Amino acid sequence: MTRPSHVVVDLDSLRSNYRLARRIHGGRSLAVIKGDAYGHGALACANALAPEADGFAVAFLDEARALREGGIANPILVLEGAFNDAELAIANALDLWLVVHHDEQIDMLARGRIAPRRLNVWLKIDSGMHRAGFDCADAGRAYERLLSTGKVRSITLMTHFARADTLRSTMTAEQIERFDAATRHLPGDRSLCNSAGLLWWPKARRDWARAGLMLYGIPPEGNELPQLQPAMTFNSRVVAVRSLRPGEPIGYNATYVAQRSMRVGLVCVGYADGYPQTAPSGTPIAVDGRRTSLVGRVSMDMLSVDLTDLPDAGLGSEVELWGRTIRVAEVAAACGRIPYELVCHVRRAPVTYRGLEATTENKSLARIDLQYSAG
Ligand SMILES: *Cc1c(COP(=O)(O)O)cnc(C)c1O
């Protein structure tokens, strides 16, 4: 048998989650597929969504270029904007939409060789996250400067939430108020919501959503959303079974010691496949559809799973690291990480696509090849 570990991405789930995002938010939604679609394969996901997506969002130019080269014709917003004049020229040639979040990017537009009234720009206003974007007090000035370049066709006003995934904080309500006050007199579409914003903050729903995490069937922290379908399943099989006597340790550093007689299954998935090395004993894993747990430390290529209470499980049993039985958010919570990071880090294990339009069999074909070349 070949190494039985693999990742399955269900493109029907992706599409269904996208439709849900758009239905809840109303209006239009970008499908955020930066970071190789959060580890799901950007081009495969883009192809699956292209017939209906209002547009895509990626982090930087080369992610957008790979989509264009893969035949994606939908609008693509570049969330970090252009880093230099050469990138701006390429973005213009590829008909990309650009976020502008600091003054130097407006200078680039002003001096760039770009046809009049050509670019669709998203002007990013910092409403309280204090990471990227113009201060609220500068919103009007930045807007005027952008217009005065003569290069823009449209300006969409955007902001980003720092903690929309919790309803316990007043921060999101304050961000919405600040953004609205800062942009009150400025014309143009608005875009405030990431996944958590569009799900939990109805007041933030405007012309455009920017749905990322929920596309992949992962609900933002702390809330369940039964309609969401996990897009990624990380599977393997038990390839060996052993018994432990009470007092016997297992794995590197002997971090786990059997307290009773145990049956333990060996699974060929490790941190080189993207399974988190910090996952402690007790992290949930499903075997033959039943919940059990990790025992001992995660190695580079292997981990062990407790079969003691699953007498029917054994050699060849199906293992789900995460998917429909074990949600990736549970695994992330068990190891003090966020689900974004876990799905982004999946690698080495082959990826197959499922779903009506799964045109690409293997992620090595679908995976975008990043070559940071411009400038
Ligand atoms: C990544 C990102 C999103 C998507 O956020 P999710 O929490 O994954 O939905 C939206 N907007 C911006 C600016 C982003 O960088």
Side-chain angles (χ1 to χ4, degrees):
M1 124 173 122
T2 52
R3 190 174 190 252
S5 306
H6 62 283
V7 171
V8 179
V9 173
D10 185 334
L11 299 173
D12 285 334
S13 299
L14 183 80
R15 276 191 292 266
S16 143
N17 296 331
Y18 176 74
R19 286 173 198 153
L20 181 70
R22 197 162 48 183
R23 202 160 59 239
I24 292 175
H25 183 267
R28 292 160 289 177
S29 181
L30 298 177
V32 181
I33 55 170
K34 63 192 180 190
D36 203 21
Y38 296 36
H40 294 68
L43 191 51
C45 291
N47 273 319
L49 293 173
E52 57 194 297
D54 301 312
F56 295 105
V58 295
F60 62 107
L61 179 75
D62 283 306
E63 289 187 333
R65 177 154 54 185
L67 294 177
R68 282 281 184 261
E69 284 169 359
I72 300 299
N74 307 54
I76 302 174
L77 177 67
V78 180
L79 291 168
E80 293 175 348
F83 285 92
N84 55 46
D85 296 317
E87 285 204 352
L88 177 60
I90 295 168
N92 181 36
L94 294 177
D95 210 10
L96 303 177
W97 298 2
L98 289 170
V99 167
V100 163
H101 61 88
H102 63 94
D103 267 313
E104 169 59 17
Q105 289 177 321
I106 303 181
D107 298 340
M108 281 180 216
L109 279 185
R111 66 181 176 248
R113 294 180 41 160
I114 295 164
R117 298 180 51 76
R118 154 116 180 123
L119 292 176
N120 291 304
V121 172
W122 288 40
L123 181 63
K124 188 165 186 174
I125 308 299
D126 170 29
S127 57
M129 184 168 179
H130 298 143
R131 183 183 64 174
F134 292 90
D135 280 356
C136 280
D138 285 339
R141 183 192 58 83
Y143 189 98
E144 288 307 321
R145 277 200 74 211
L146 252 183
L147 272 188
S148 71
T149 65
K151 311 285 173 59
V152 301
R153 178 163 65 207
S154 72
I155 301 178
T156 299
L157 298 158
M158 72 178 284
T159 194
H160 195 45
F161 294 135
R163 48 184 319 195
D165 52 8
T166 174
L167 294 169
R168 290 187 302 279
S169 160
T170 56
M171 183 163 187
T172 302
E174 286 160 17
Q175 284 195 263
I176 297 168
E177 268 178 36
R178 266 187 235 126
F179 175 81
D180 284 344
T183 57
R184 182 149 291 131
H185 303 293
L186 304 176
D189 283 351
R190 266 75 172 151
S191 176
L192 283 69
C193 291
N194 56 359
S195 299
L198 84 89
L199 289 173
W200 321 130
W201 295 91
K203 277 192 180 153
R205 296 173 192 153
R206 305 293 164 84
D207 304 284
W208 287 91
R210 307 182 307 271
L213 192 68
M214 71 175 291
L215 292 182
Y216 310 102
I218 307 170
E221 184 161 359
N223 291 280
E224 279 309 313
L225 197 70
Q227 304 98 308
L228 281 183
Q229 302 172 20
M232 180 190 285
T233 307
F234 195 174
N235 284 322
S236 193
R237 286 184 186 277
V238 173
V239 297
V241 179
R242 73 169 53 245
S243 301
L244 293 179
R245 285 189 290 269
E248 287 185 326
I250 186 167
Y252 281 117
N253 285 36
T255 59
Y256 185 85
V257 177
Q259 301 299 308
R260 54 172 180 161
S261 294
M262 294 181 74
R263 283 175 74 239
V264 174
L266 181 67
V267 180
C268 288
V269 165
Y271 59 82
D273 303 289
Y275 192 86
Q277 195 276 332
T278 53
S281 292
T283 300
I285 294 181
V287 176
D288 289 337
R290 297 182 55 198
R291 298 171 68 92
T292 177
S293 57
L294 176 75
V295 285
R297 219 183 234 191
V298 175
S299 311
M300 185 181 290
D301 313 306
M302 296 180 216
L303 55 80
S304 298
V305 61
D306 187 357
L307 303 179
T308 313
D309 296 328
L310 304 176
D312 297 334
L315 207 61
S317 283
E318 281 182 29
V319 174
E320 183 192 287
L321 287 317
W322 59 69
R324 283 167 195 264
T325 307
I326 307 288
R327 299 301 167 110
V328 65
E330 284 183 75
V331 179
C335 35
R337 312 277 276 279
I338 58 173
Y340 295 79
E341 193 185 358
L342 267 52
V343 289
C344 277
H345 283 181
V346 163
R347 48 193 287 276
R348 190 168 75 168
V351 177
T352 50
Y353 290 93
R354 219 180 257 159
L356 286 176
E357 292 163 44
T359 48
T360 322
E361 274 297 292
N362 189 312
K363 192 177 169 188
S364 64
L365 300 173
R367 180 181 277 279
I368 59 172
D369 248 334
L370 282 184
Q371 287 172 344
Y372 194 73
S373 42

